Amino acid sequence: MFLTGFAALAVMPMLPLAARDLDGVALYPLVAGAFVAASLLGGVLGGTWADRAGARRPLTAGVVLTVLTLLVSATSPNIWQLALGRFADGVAAGLVAVSVNAAVGQSYPDRLRARALALMSACWIVPSLAGPPLAGLVAAWWSWRAVFFGLAGLTVLPAAAAVLLLRGATVDPATGADAQVPVRRPALPAAAAVSAAAALTQYGVSAWDVPHAVCAAAGLALLVAFAPRLLPAHTWRAGRGLPATVLLRALTSGAYFTLEAFVPLMLSTARRVPGVVTGLAFTGAALAWAGASWVQGRAQGRVARHRLVAFGSGVMAAAVALAGLCTLPAVPAAAAVSSMVLAAAGMGLAAPSLTLLSLRHAPAGGQGYASGAMQTSQNLGQTVVLALASALFSAVSAVAGGQLPPFACAFGLLVVPALAAAALASRTRAHSRTPDGGRPPAPEPAPGTAEASKG
């Protein structure tokens, strides 16, 4: 996870340089969006695979594929191979993310899961501090290709560990693939359609003209048609249990990552602050996320998980409101930096809590299914909320003019999913387990089972 975070945070600053060097700046939105779109497909593949054969195999495939995709990107002669490399890297990232969450659910007792997830968050602290600066230095001294080659060399270590150390691991029949539970698995064609839809949507909102509008409309139509097939029944109605948990992952992720995209843009364009200030915002956000995640790990058994979700979502809503205030010229630009840090603290409380709730609500032997649904929901939330905010931003820019009013409207939109997540948090509430770790009798069938799907 440490090297995964290092790769993720070091690659992103290099993509604009690579696109310019390959004469593909016009296709940069496609390159940037390919990763998120492909991680949808990787999440579905990883979730199904983890339930059938345990988390070790998709984890091994994910880290090995990461090495290969970094090499594909490093040797790109044109922008299309770079886009292909980023797409394949997205598939690998989806496999790894879902496998890690499924492994936590399959391997750790409930009392240790919160701390395990806090450790995963802590693994991103050093990469957030050192990854972007080191990548920038390597690119300045050599080239952006050296960054990709170097990351591939570093990632060989966890790839070798996964292949050599995990190949002899066994799956616990009580929690792994041997448990015969009728979980409704998402179809791979639907996952591929949703991945293509996400890429079309992200490309479509990158400009304001007829071809881009057609791509955005087509992408949204495909999302409406196929996305429900990848999620538990009644997700869009916030059905109690896993459906509501999955929906809240989409709402919180959409609000946070869209805020993370718009605040740096506002700082660099409308407020004209130095680049180092924007860098401090990302560093502070990473530290705040990890710190809040540590707090939720220590709160295990003391505070109900759904209350942490509600509080974290409320903190995010306050952060979005603070970012909106920063569109007033009288408000210092430093307040916008504080909004990113505050929002990250809210996510540090809400995101691990939602992951734990999804594992609690998952049907027996379905931790991979629940983790895949959460990964899919997160990426869908990012795609849809960012698309809506970008469309609103572009429309206000064309009508009202000026630099700050479009940001004010975009931030106003982001308050809605954050407040909705806080209001719906009680629907994610999990019943306490019995002393031996089992489940108490449920009042209704678990979402995704055959009994629940009959309705």
Side-chain angles (χ1 to χ4, degrees):
M1 186 59 65
F2 175 82
L3 292 175
T4 296
F6 214 95
L9 294 171
V11 163
M12 286 305 297
M14 297 299 102
L15 290 182
L17 298 177
R20 184 180 61 189
D21 187 48
L22 297 174
D23 296 324
V25 175
L27 292 176
Y28 174 75
L30 179 62
V31 175
F35 181 89
V36 175
S39 61
L40 285 164
L41 180 59
V44 173
L45 288 171
T48 303
W49 199 352
D51 283 341
R52 289 178 176 172
R56 70 187 188 280
R57 292 183 181 177
L59 178 60
T60 301
V63 292
V64 172
L65 182 60
T66 298
V67 176
L68 298 178
T69 57
L70 287 169
L71 294 176
V72 169
S73 298
T75 57
S76 298
N78 53 59
I79 194 67
W80 294 105
Q81 181 169 323
L82 181 63
L84 176 63
R86 294 301 295 158
F87 185 89
D89 198 22
V91 174
L95 287 171
V96 171
V98 170
S99 300
V100 167
N101 287 336
V104 169
Q106 293 173 355
S107 305
Y108 287 85
D110 185 62
R111 61 185 176 83
L112 293 180
R113 290 175 182 172
R115 295 191 180 187
L117 292 177
L119 181 60
M120 296 299 104
S121 297
C123 289
W124 287 74
I125 295 178
V126 173
S128 69
L129 298 174
L134 286 178
L137 288 175
V138 172
W141 291 340
W142 289 287
S143 72
W144 60 268
R145 297 181 188 274
V147 175
F148 283 92
F149 278 122
L151 291 172
L154 287 175
T155 314
V156 165
L157 297 175
V163 172
L164 298 177
L165 301 181
L166 299 182
R167 63 180 179 180
T170 58
V171 180
D172 183 358
T175 58
D178 295 332
Q180 300 299 320
V181 178
V183 177
R184 185 183 61 187
R185 306 294 179 186
L188 292 183
V194 170
S195 295
L200 281 173
T201 303
Q202 291 185 330
Y203 177 74
V205 300
S206 63
W208 193 252
D209 54 35
V210 174
H212 284 79
V214 171
C215 288
L220 289 175
L222 287 173
L223 287 177
V224 171
F226 290 98
R229 304 183 187 184
L230 305 183
L231 303 174
H234 312 308
T235 294
W236 305 121
R237 291 190 289 170
R240 291 188 180 276
L242 186 59
T245 306
V246 169
L247 177 62
L248 263 63
R249 172 56 66 89
L251 294 174
T252 54
S253 297
Y256 176 76
F257 289 108
T258 303
L259 179 73
E260 192 182 55
F262 274 91
V263 167
L265 182 63
M266 180 181 69
L267 289 173
S268 61
T269 58
R271 302 306 298 264
R272 303 287 183 180
V273 302
V276 66
V277 175
T278 304
L280 288 175
F282 281 99
T283 299
L287 294 174
W289 188 316
S293 183
W294 180 85
V295 170
Q296 66 80 31
R298 294 295 174 178
Q300 175 73 9
R302 302 175 183 176
V303 183
R305 283 286 151 192
H306 69 281
R307 296 187 186 278
L308 288 176
V309 173
F311 183 75
S313 301
V315 170
M316 288 179 56
V320 173
L322 179 59
L325 288 176
C326 294
T327 60
L328 301 175
V331 179
V337 176
S338 301
S339 71
M340 283 187 59
V341 176
L342 187 62
M347 278 295 283
L349 292 174
S353 297
L354 287 171
T355 299
L356 290 169
L357 286 168
S358 71
L359 295 174
R360 292 284 295 276
H361 290 305
Q367 290 91 351
Y369 166 76
S371 299
M374 293 288 280
Q375 179 74 13
T376 299
S377 179
Q378 173 179 312
N379 292 331
L380 285 174
Q382 290 179 239
T383 300
V384 174
V385 176
L386 180 59
L388 293 175
S390 299
L392 179 61
F393 181 86
S394 300
V396 174
S397 298
V399 174
Q403 291 184 316
L404 290 176
F407 286 105
C409 294
F411 293 139
L413 175 65
L414 295 185
V415 173
V416 177
L419 289 178
L424 295 172
S426 62
R427 300 183 70 82
T428 67
R429 182 175 183 175
H431 296 285
S432 60
R433 293 180 181 272
T434 57
D436 62 352
R439 297 174 181 269
E444 58 185 8
T449 62
E451 291 79 7
S453 62
K454 287 179 181 177

